[in-house]
Amino acid sequence: MDGSPKNTKKLWLVIASEAKQSRDRVEVFFTLWLAFLFLLPLNACVQHEFPPYPGLEGIEQRIEAYVPDAKYPDDPFILETLREAVAGRKEGNGGVGACLVLESTGEIVERGHNRQYAPYFRSDLHAEMDLLNRFENRRKTQRIVNGKAENPRRVEGLVLYSSVEPCPMCLTRIINAGIKKTFYAVADPPGGMCHKVDDLPSFWKDVAKGRVYEPAACSPELKDLALQLFGHYGNRNIKGKK
């Protein structure tokens, strides 16, 4: 191709056309890439959505409508564990809740619920474990303070309430935390450990001596709600043993 003005013009037209096509391809690529980035979080959220727990709305309405009965002194605290259990169910976790109460005043100092499955699987996060994690993380007790030894398990006057009898893992954590009294709304014969505290290894059994692990003094209505929130496992194994 010679360098005449006519041929030079043709050459520039060809270059411009190829540049436009290349630019168009880049624009298409980036458009598709941005669309992918935009849609990815949406897809991720859809994958992590959980189907609603059967009857949860009705259960929550019964909980919020319930007025603590003076005949059952533990009603206010078990009611709080049930609210926590509902929160767990809404997240796609197990329907068990727990709270720590200052016995002298009735003040609820910490709350927790099962977080075993969401936002991701944590095999340790039963309700009582979550509760004690939150309490101890907030408290940040040190074993040595200003060069002096302190007892990090000094939690006098605190009572732990749970909507379901603690399992072996949770009971040993409660013992190790120094909690002296534990009450639960419904027993769990196949999975709970409080009613079998004498079957613990000798070390834990000795530490637990003199401590209280008993069913809460709460109404049959709250026990029924705790059972329903616990789920099919609870209905199959505990029904009639409230």
Side-chain angles (χ1 to χ4, degrees):
M1 182 178 291
D2 59 37
S4 67
K6 184 177 181 181
N7 287 332
T8 300
K9 183 178 180 180
K10 287 182 177 179
L11 176 61
W12 281 112
L13 288 172
V14 169
I15 293 173
S17 176
E18 290 180 349
K20 183 177 184 302
Q21 292 177 13
S22 177
R23 186 170 62 252
D24 288 345
R25 286 194 294 269
V26 170
E27 288 178 354
V28 169
F29 171 77
F30 276 108
T31 298
L32 292 173
W33 177 245
L34 288 172
F36 171 75
L37 291 178
F38 177 77
L39 291 173
L40 182 61
L42 178 62
N43 289 338
C45 289
V46 170
Q47 290 172 1
H48 286 86
E49 285 181 353
F50 292 90
Y53 185 70
L56 185 58
E57 184 177 351
I59 292 173
E60 187 172 17
Q61 289 174 355
R62 286 172 61 192
I63 290 171
E64 295 309 319
Y66 184 82
V67 177
D69 189 331
K71 291 187 299 184
Y72 303 101
D74 291 334
D75 267 9
F77 313 121
I78 293 301
L79 197 58
E80 199 63 31
T81 71
L82 298 182
R83 292 190 178 107
E84 286 293 319
V86 167
R89 281 295 183 195
K90 287 182 175 179
E91 296 167 358
N93 290 301
V96 181
C99 67
L100 277 175
V101 176
L102 188 59
E103 190 173 24
S104 60
T105 64
E107 176 191 0
I108 296 174
V109 299
E110 195 60 80
R111 298 166 176 82
H113 59 258
N114 186 292
R115 300 177 194 267
Q116 191 171 10
Y117 299 107
Y120 54 86
F121 181 64
R122 282 287 304 270
S123 59
D124 62 319
L125 284 187
H126 285 189
E128 299 88 347
M129 301 288 275
D130 177 58
L131 172 72
L132 292 172
N133 285 350
R134 290 170 178 276
F135 175 70
E136 291 170 356
N137 287 341
R138 179 166 54 82
R139 204 163 171 244
K140 293 183 170 62
T141 305
Q142 301 290 321
R143 192 173 184 183
I144 304 294
V145 179
N146 297 324
K148 182 181 177 182
E150 297 285 347
N151 180 7
R153 297 178 179 83
R154 289 189 64 181
V155 288
E156 287 86 353
L158 286 183
V159 180
L160 189 149
Y161 287 89
S162 181
S163 60
V164 178
E165 179 184 0
C167 71
M169 172 181 72
C170 293
L171 180 57
T172 52
R173 172 71 185 276
I174 292 167
I175 294 170
N176 194 32
I179 304 296
K180 302 295 193 300
K181 294 181 179 180
T182 299
F183 299 102
Y184 47 90
V186 290
D188 180 8
M193 195 69 204
C194 290
H195 71 284
K196 300 180 70 176
V197 66
D198 288 337
D199 292 335
L200 285 170
S202 58
F203 172 83
W204 295 110
K205 185 168 66 173
D206 289 343
V207 176
K209 279 182 180 177
R211 300 187 185 183
V212 177
Y213 309 101
E214 296 178 356
C218 65
S219 70
E221 169 74 356
L222 296 189
K223 291 182 180 183
D224 181 65
L225 288 164
L227 192 60
Q228 291 190 47
L229 283 164
F230 193 34
H232 298 300
Y233 165 80
N235 289 326
R236 185 170 63 249
N237 293 286
I238 310 177
K239 193 170 183 180
K241 299 181 179 181
K242 295 179 283 185

